[in-house]
Amino acid sequence: MKHQADIRPSDAELAVAARGGDCACLGVLLERHRARLYAAALGVLGYGPQAEDAVHDAFLIALRHIGDLKEPQAVVGWLLSILHRCCLQQLRRRRREVLTAEVPDRPDDGPSIEERLEKVALREWVWNALGKLPESQQATAVLRYFGSYHSYEELAAILAVPIGTVRSRLSEAKRKLAEMLLETAGGVDPDAASQSRQHHRFYDEVFRSFSRPGEYDRHLSHFAEDLHLVRGGDRAVFGRSFLTQEIRDDHEAGVLIEPQRIFGTGNISVIEGRFCNPPEDPFHCPPGVAFVVVRRSGQAKRLHIHLSPRSPRIDDD
C-alpha cells in the first residue's frame, strides 16, 4: 500500500491535467508554487502591491496559456518565466492589462482568448467565476476579456465611468479571479492544505514571539547557524547572530510585530505583517514588513526581509 505522500500528483501530472481542462489541478499547481512565485516577485519589485499584482497576472496568463504548454515537466520554469515578464511590465509601468500579455517568446497571432479557453475546456469555469463578481466588476471584465472593445478609453465610454474607475475595477476583478482559481485547489490536495495550516500556526507563533522577552530564544534554533539574511537593498549577511541582534534591537525599542498573512508551500513560507511602533517613536519602523523563509531539512536557511510604508491587507489565505 502506497504512503499518502507517494500518491500526491507531481507538477508534471498536474500540468497535464490542467492542460486538458482540469481547473482544479491548475489551482493545485498554482497554490503549490504561490509562495515561490511571490518570493521571486518580491526580489524584483520589493514589498508592495506590485509584487502581489504580478503574481495574480501570472496566474491569469497561466490560465489562458496552459493549453499551449508543450513540456509539462518544465511547468515551474514556465511559470517563473511568465512571472518575470509580469515583473518587468510592472517596472516599465506599461498601461495595458497584462491578461493579454503573452507567454515569453510566444507571439500572439493565433486564436482569441475566448477560443483559447474553449480549446482547454476552461471557458465554463471563467464564465462561472466572472458571474460571482460584483456587477460593476463583472461588466467591466466581460467587456475587457470577451468583448470587441479593448482599450480603457472605449470601456470608460461604454460604461460611462472615468478611466481610473475602469482600471481599479479590472484590478480588483483580476485579484478575485486569481483567488477563486486558488480556491479550487482545496478539495484536490488536502494534504498540502493541512501542511500549509501547520506552517501558518508555527510561523504565527515564531514571529509573535519576537516581540515577547524571554520567548524568542526558543524559536531561534529554527533558523540555521549560517542563516543567509537579505534585507532590502542591503548587502546579504550570513549568520543567525544578525537576526538575533535585529530582534533584540526592535525589542529594546519597544517595537512589536503582528503577523497578518501567512502562506506558503514546499520549502517556502511568506509572512506578511505590520510593525507597531511605540508612541514615543512612531516612525521607528515602517508599517509593513514581509518575511520570505526558505527551508532546508526543516530549518530556515535563508530569510529575506522587505520593508514597506504600507501595511498588508488582512484576509484568509
Side-chain angles (χ1 to χ4, degrees), residues 223-231 234-243 292-294 300-305:
F223 298 88
E225 192 73 40
D226 59 346
L227 178 71
H228 183 179
L229 179 62
V230 181
R231 179 173 175 174
D234 296 342
R235 192 171 181 179
V237 295
F238 293 86
R240 186 169 61 204
S241 59
F242 290 96
L243 174 63
V292 179
V293 180
V294 181
K301 296 288 288 185
R302 293 173 62 95
L303 177 64
H304 294 248
I305 303 176

Side-chain angles (χ1 to χ4, degrees), residues 102-115:
E102 293 311 306
V103 175
D105 302 320
R106 291 191 63 86
D108 187 15
D109 53 2
S112 67
I113 182 172
E114 186 170 359
E115 292 168 330

Side-chain angles (χ1 to χ4, degrees), residues 11-281:
D11 289 343
E13 290 169 334
L14 290 171
V16 169
R19 192 173 59 180
D22 190 328
C23 194
C25 284
L26 179 60
V28 173
L29 184 64
L30 296 175
E31 176 63 35
R32 182 176 288 181
H33 296 287
R34 176 165 60 136
R36 181 175 180 179
L37 293 168
Y38 186 48
L42 286 172
V44 176
L45 300 171
Y47 177 40
Q50 284 189 328
E52 192 166 25
D53 286 346
V55 174
H56 290 159
D57 295 341
F59 283 179
L60 297 183
I61 293 172
L63 173 64
R64 177 182 178 183
H65 288 281
I66 189 67
D68 296 329
L69 177 64
K70 295 188 177 183
E71 298 180 8
Q73 68 275 14
V75 66
V76 178
W78 181 73
L79 289 172
L80 288 169
S81 295
I82 294 173
L83 177 73
H84 181 68
R85 183 181 178 99
C86 292
C87 289
L88 291 180
Q89 289 177 327
Q90 291 281 359
L91 291 173
R92 293 168 184 162
R93 300 180 182 278
R94 296 184 66 168
R95 291 296 185 181
R96 63 187 178 90
E97 173 58 42
V98 298
L99 183 55
T100 64
E102 293 311 306
V103 175
D105 302 320
R106 291 191 63 86
D108 187 15
D109 53 2
S112 67
I113 182 172
E114 186 170 359
E115 292 168 330
R116 285 179 183 269
L117 289 171
E118 285 177 339
K119 173 183 174 184
V120 298
L122 292 174
R123 182 170 177 263
E124 183 178 352
W125 180 90
V126 173
W127 279 112
N128 288 337
L130 286 171
K132 296 177 183 178
L133 299 177
E135 286 187 3
S136 59
Q137 294 173 18
Q138 185 180 142
T140 308
V142 168
L143 280 171
R144 177 67 181 89
Y145 302 142
F146 296 98
S148 301
Y149 303 94
H150 301 299
S151 73
Y152 289 147
E153 290 79 5
E154 289 172 320
L155 294 183
I158 292 171
L159 297 170
V161 297
I163 292 177
T165 301
V166 171
R167 292 186 186 281
S168 63
R169 287 179 181 177
L170 284 175
S171 177
E172 185 64 14
K174 179 175 59 180
R175 182 181 71 82
K176 289 180 179 177
L177 285 171
E179 290 176 348
M180 281 188 270
L181 183 58
L182 291 177
E183 287 173 3
T184 65
V188 179
D189 197 352
D191 184 58
S194 175
Q195 185 180 59
S196 178
R197 287 192 295 269
Q198 291 175 12
H199 284 146
H200 185 290
R201 290 192 294 269
F202 175 73
Y203 282 115
D204 183 74
E205 181 181 356
V206 168
F207 283 88
R208 288 185 187 279
S209 77
F210 287 173
S211 301
R212 298 194 288 262
E215 290 192 27
Y216 59 75
D217 285 338
R218 66 190 177 93
H219 290 299
L220 284 174
S221 61
H222 175 65
F223 298 88
E225 192 73 40
D226 59 346
L227 178 71
H228 183 179
L229 179 62
V230 181
R231 179 173 175 174
D234 296 342
R235 192 171 181 179
V237 295
F238 293 86
R240 186 169 61 204
S241 59
F242 290 96
L243 174 63
T244 303
Q245 189 59 50
E246 293 242 347
I247 295 171
R248 288 174 179 167
D249 289 346
D250 284 345
H251 178 255
E252 290 175 2
V255 176
L256 304 179
I257 298 175
E258 289 188 359
Q260 296 193 322
R261 300 182 68 218
I262 302 174
F263 56 91
T265 189
N267 291 322
I268 296 177
S269 290
V270 177
I271 301 92
E272 291 185 347
R274 68 187 186 98
F275 286 118
C276 299
N277 294 312
E280 64 275 13
D281 190 7

Side-chain angles (χ1 to χ4, degrees), residues 300-313:
K301 296 288 288 185
R302 293 173 62 95
L303 177 64
H304 294 248
I305 303 176
H306 299 265
L307 304 176
S308 171
R310 161 187 173 273
S311 294
R313 64 184 176 84

